[in-house]
Amino acid sequence: MRRSAPRSFGRSRRCTTTRRSRCPEVRSIQVGLSGDAVRRYVGEWITSLEDVTAEMQRIRDLAVESPEAAEAELPRERPYPITDELAAQIAATAGAPIQT
């Protein structure tokens, strides 16, 4: 019998810098796709790709001098809209209000 790895929800904090500085708060979620969703994701849902390496390197360098200024350069995190019922099912905090 094959057992699957345990699933976990929560915050991901990963910060690698050469100097000690305050890491910005980082949150992430990983979602697995299979079957038709993979084909549609690759063939239809991705509309463009943009290389942001240089911009992230600039922000990383800025963080050495001013973590607050660097954090202000990052995109604003927005809550994903979910119902209270779904939030309770997946043990998540309530998301943004769902617009109808």
Side-chain angles (χ1 to χ4, degrees):
M1 178 181 209
R2 185 175 165 196
R3 300 182 78 186
S4 61
R7 295 181 182 191
S8 64
F9 293 93
R11 291 183 175 184
S12 171
R13 268 186 79 78
R14 182 177 179 180
C15 184
T16 54
T17 59
T18 55
R19 295 183 186 172
R20 292 192 181 263
S21 63
R22 186 176 69 80
C23 296
E25 185 70 24
V26 177
R27 298 178 188 189
S28 65
I29 185 168
Q30 183 175 358
V31 177
L33 300 176
S34 63
D36 191 49
V38 173
R39 182 192 59 75
R40 294 185 69 195
Y41 181 78
V42 172
E44 299 173 25
W45 299 338
I46 297 175
T47 59
S48 66
L49 296 175
E50 180 181 351
D51 184 359
V52 295
T53 303
E55 180 69 6
M56 293 302 103
Q57 289 170 339
R58 182 187 71 75
I59 293 172
R60 178 200 59 207
D61 294 342
L62 178 60
V64 172
E65 299 302 320
S66 174
E68 294 80 14
E71 195 163 340
E73 294 284 320
L74 296 173
R76 196 173 213 37
E77 183 178 314
R78 299 175 312 207
Y80 188 81
I82 61 174
T83 64
D84 291 341
E85 179 183 359
L86 178 58
Q89 281 184 312
I90 64 172
T93 55
I98 296 178
Q99 298 176 359
T100 56

